[in-house]
C-alpha cells in the first residue's frame, strides 16, 4: 500500500486522532500483508512463548525449522518440563544464545510446580519467570491473552524511533510510546503489526517508505532523518581470543568431552576440553593442560587437527584443535549423563566428563565451533 507525501506532522505528542489513524492503518496492513508463520496458527500461550523466545536474536526464516522440530518433541509445557536439559539443548543446537533454552526449561518447571502448569496472563507474573523480560511478557500477554500490553523488540524500536523521530530514546520512553498506541481491541495483532512493519518495510538500511501504511505520520520521513533513526554508536572492537583444544582419543576410538558449567557462555553444553594459553604458553600446551584437567594423566600428542574461528556477541575465539591419544581405556567410561543416556550406553561416574564414539556425538549438544571440530574429524 502507498501513502501520499505527508505534511510535516506535529512536533509534539500524537493526539487521539493520530493514534486512532495509526492503529487503523497498521491493523489493516497486518490483515493484508502478514506473513504465514507457523506460530500464528493459533494463540496458545505456550506456542506464543516459545516462538517469541526463539525469535530473540534469530531471523524468522532461521527460527521456523527449529520451532517446528521443537513442537514435535515438546508439544506442551508439561512435555518441556519433563524433559532432560540435555535433550532441550540438543533441540536448540544451532540457534545460539543457549541461555534462552535453559531459561525456557527452568520456567516450564516453575510453571509446573507453582502455577499448575498454566502460563499466567498477567505481565508482572510473566516477568517473574526465568528469561522473560518486558518485551516477552508484553508479547505473550497481548497475543495469547488479548491484554493491551506493549511489546518493544528491535523492529518495534526502529519503527517508533522513526515514527516519532527519536534519535536515542530510553527503553522506558519507548515502552511509554508503545503503550499509548496499543489498542484495547486486538492488542496482539497490533503488536505483531508493528513487528511486521519493522521486519518487512521499515528495515534498517533500505526502508520502503512509499509502501509504509503510517508514512503520513512519520516524523523522521518528513524531516529527512529516516536513515539516522535510531542513532547508532561507534562500532565496537571485538576482542580476539585463542583456545588450545584437546581432541583426545582412546585405543577403542572414544573421544573425550566435558560439560561446560551451567552458568556463563554456552552453559550446559558439551565441548572438547580447551584452555586459553597462559603467558608464554603455546596453544598446543594449553590443550594438553585442558586434557589433564579432565583426569587424562599422560595425553600423547598426535599432531594438529586444524583451527576454527567463531564470533560471539562480544568476542571472537579461534579454537586450535590438537590430537592426543591415550594408551589405555579410562577406568570410568562415561558415555552419557545420569538421565537420558543414549540407548545401550552405561552410566558413568562423572557427569562432567564423557568418552564418546565419533558416531555417538550427535547425542550431545555441541556449540557450533565444536561441531566444526567434529566435521574435521569426520573429514
Amino acid at each position: 500500500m502507498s501513502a501520499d507525501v505527508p505534511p510535516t506532522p506535529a512536533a509534539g505528542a500524537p493526539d487521539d486522532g493520530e493514534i486512532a489513524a495509526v492503529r487503523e492503518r497498521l491493523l489493516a496492513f497486518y490483515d493484508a500483508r502478514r506473513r504465514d508463520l507457523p506460530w500464528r496458527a493459533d494463540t496458545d500461550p505456550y506456542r506464543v512463548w516459545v516462538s517469541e523466545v526463539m525469535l530473540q536474536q534469530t531471523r524468522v526464516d532461521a527460527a521456523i525449522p527449529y520451532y517446528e522440530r521443537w513442537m514435535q518433541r515438546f508439544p506442551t509445557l508439561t512435555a518441556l518440563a519433563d524433559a532432560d536439559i540435555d535433550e532441550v539443548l540438543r533441540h536448540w543446537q544451532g540457534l545460539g544464545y543457549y541461555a534462552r533454552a535453559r531459561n525456557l526449561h527452568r520456567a516450564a518447571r516453575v510453571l509446573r510446580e507453582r502455577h499448575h502448569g498454566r502460563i499466567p496472563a498477567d505481565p508482572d507474573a510473566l516477568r517473574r519467570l526465568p528469561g522473560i523480560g518486558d518485551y516477552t511478557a508484553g508479547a505473550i500477554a497481548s497475543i495469547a491473552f488479548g491484554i493491551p500490553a506493549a511489546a518493544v523488540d528491535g523492529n518495534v524500536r526502529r519503527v517508533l524511533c522513526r515514527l516519532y523521530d527519536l534519535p536515542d530514546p530510553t527503553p522506558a520512553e519507548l515502552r511509554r510510546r508503545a503503550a499509548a498506541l496499543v489498542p484495547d481491541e486486538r492488542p496482539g495483532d497490533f503488536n505483531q503489526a508493528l513487528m511486521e512493519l519493522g521486519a518487512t518495510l521499515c528495515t534498517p538500511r533500505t526502508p520502503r517508505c512509499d509502501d509504509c501504511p503510517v508514512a503520513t505520520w512519520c516524523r523522521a520521513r518528513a524531516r529527512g532523518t529516516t536513515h539516522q533513526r535510531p542513532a547508532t554508536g561507534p562500532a565496537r572492537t571485538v576482542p580476539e581470543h585463542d583456545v588450545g583444544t584437546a581432541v583426545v582419543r582412546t585405543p577403542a576410538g572414544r573421544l573425550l568431552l566435558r560439560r561446560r558449567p551451567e552458568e556463563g557462555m554456552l552453559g550446559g553444553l558439551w565441548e572438547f576440553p580447551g584452555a586459553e594459553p597462559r603467558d608464554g604458553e603455546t596453544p598446543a600446551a594449553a590443550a594438553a593442560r585442558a586434557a589433564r584437567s579432565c583426569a587424562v594423566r599422560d595425553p600423547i600428542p598426535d599432531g594438529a587437527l586444524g583451527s576454527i574461528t567463531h564470533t560471539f556477541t562480544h568476542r571472537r575465539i579461534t579454537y586450535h584443535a590438537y590430537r592426543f591419544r591415550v594408551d589405555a581405556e579410562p577406568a570410568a567410561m562415561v558415555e552419557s549423563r545420569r538421565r537420558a543416556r543414549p540407548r545401550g550406553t552405561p552410566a558413568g561416574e562423572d557427569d562432567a566428563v564423557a568418552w564418546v564414539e565419533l558416531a555417538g556425538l550427535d547425542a550431545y549438544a555441541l556449540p557450533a565451533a565444536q561441531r566444526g571440530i567434529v566435521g574435521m574429524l569426520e573429514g
Side-chain angles (χ1 to χ4, degrees), residues 1-2 25-37 40 192-193 196-197 200-202 208 210-213:
M1 73 184 57
S2 63
R25 289 289 188 90
L26 277 172
L27 286 170
F29 160 77
Y30 184 69
D31 290 339
R33 302 276 291 273
R34 67 180 180 181
R35 291 168 291 179
D36 183 18
L37 302 175
R40 288 178 176 164
Q192 291 182 93
E196 195 83 350
L197 179 63
T200 61
L201 297 183
C202 196
R208 293 162 53 191
D210 290 342
D211 294 329
C212 178

Side-chain angles (χ1 to χ4, degrees), residues 90-112:
R90 285 200 304 274
H91 279 77
W92 198 271
Q93 186 173 269
L95 270 178
Y97 299 94
Y98 289 90
R100 295 179 295 170
R102 296 195 302 274
N103 283 329
L104 270 170
H105 188 241
R106 289 170 184 159
R109 292 191 165 182
V110 169
L111 289 167
R112 182 182 62 185

Side-chain angles (χ1 to χ4, degrees), residues 346-365:
E349 297 177 2
D350 185 356
D351 276 356
V353 174
W355 291 91
V356 191
E357 294 179 358
L358 181 60
L361 290 174
D362 287 343
Y364 293 78

Side-chain angles (χ1 to χ4, degrees), residues 283-339:
R289 174 164 55 85
R292 288 192 295 271
S293 75
C294 296
V296 177
R297 293 181 182 176
D298 298 305
I300 302 168
D302 209 14
L305 178 62
S307 298
I308 288 180
T309 299
H310 187 80
T311 301
F312 298 89
T313 306
H314 303 297
R315 69 188 70 182
R316 182 177 296 111
I317 300 178
T318 299
Y319 297 88
H320 304 278
Y322 295 88
R323 298 178 188 268
F324 294 87
R325 69 181 188 275
V326 290
D327 286 339
E329 297 296 310
M333 279 297 178
V334 183
E335 192 175 17
S336 188
R337 283 75 72 206
R338 292 187 181 93
R339 301 180 303 279

Side-chain angles (χ1 to χ4, degrees), residues 1-249:
M1 73 184 57
S2 63
D4 297 330
V5 176
T8 302
D15 58 26
D16 291 344
E18 178 180 334
I19 290 174
V22 168
R23 289 171 174 171
E24 180 182 356
R25 289 289 188 90
L26 277 172
L27 286 170
F29 160 77
Y30 184 69
D31 290 339
R33 302 276 291 273
R34 67 180 180 181
R35 291 168 291 179
D36 183 18
L37 302 175
W39 44 84
R40 288 178 176 164
D42 59 51
T43 56
D44 173 75
Y46 172 69
R47 291 174 175 265
V48 172
W49 173 36
V50 171
S51 69
E52 291 299 336
V53 172
M54 282 192 173
L55 290 171
Q56 296 167 15
Q57 308 291 335
T58 303
R59 293 177 292 105
V60 166
D61 56 348
I64 288 174
Y66 284 92
Y67 175 84
E68 292 174 336
R69 287 194 295 269
W70 183 280
M71 285 302 164
Q72 288 177 358
R73 174 57 189 89
F74 312 114
T76 64
L77 187 149
T78 300
L80 176 58
D82 289 343
D84 182 87
I85 183 58
D86 291 307
E87 187 175 10
V88 171
L89 290 172
R90 285 200 304 274
H91 279 77
W92 198 271
Q93 186 173 269
L95 270 178
Y97 299 94
Y98 289 90
R100 295 179 295 170
R102 296 195 302 274
N103 283 329
L104 270 170
H105 188 241
R106 289 170 184 159
R109 292 191 165 182
V110 169
L111 289 167
R112 182 182 62 185
E113 294 163 7
R114 303 179 190 173
H115 296 267
H116 308 289
R118 299 179 66 85
I119 297 174
D122 177 52
D124 289 335
L126 288 165
R127 278 189 286 267
R128 288 193 287 270
L129 294 170
I132 295 186
D134 289 330
Y135 163 72
T136 307
I140 296 170
S142 62
I143 297 171
F145 298 104
I147 293 174
V152 181
D153 69 351
N155 285 320
V156 173
R157 178 177 185 269
R158 185 168 58 255
V159 169
L160 293 176
C161 285
R162 288 172 174 171
L163 184 62
Y164 297 116
D165 196 29
L166 306 172
D168 190 21
T170 65
E173 180 178 4
L174 286 173
R175 288 195 298 272
R176 178 178 60 79
R177 297 269 189 174
L181 286 175
V182 178
D184 292 335
E185 299 293 329
R186 301 181 64 190
D189 286 349
F190 181 82
N191 281 332
Q192 291 182 93
L194 279 173
M195 300 173 201
E196 195 83 350
L197 179 63
T200 61
L201 297 183
C202 196
T203 55
R205 295 181 180 84
T206 55
R208 293 162 53 191
C209 297
D210 290 342
D211 294 329
C212 178
V214 294
T216 299
W217 300 277
C218 182
R219 288 156 175 77
R221 186 187 187 219
R223 299 167 188 169
T225 59
T226 301
H227 289 280
Q228 286 78 51
R229 300 294 180 259
T232 57
R236 293 177 302 181
T237 300
V238 179
E240 306 267 355
H241 297 264
D242 292 289
V243 172
T245 304
V247 181
V248 184
R249 188 187 297 267

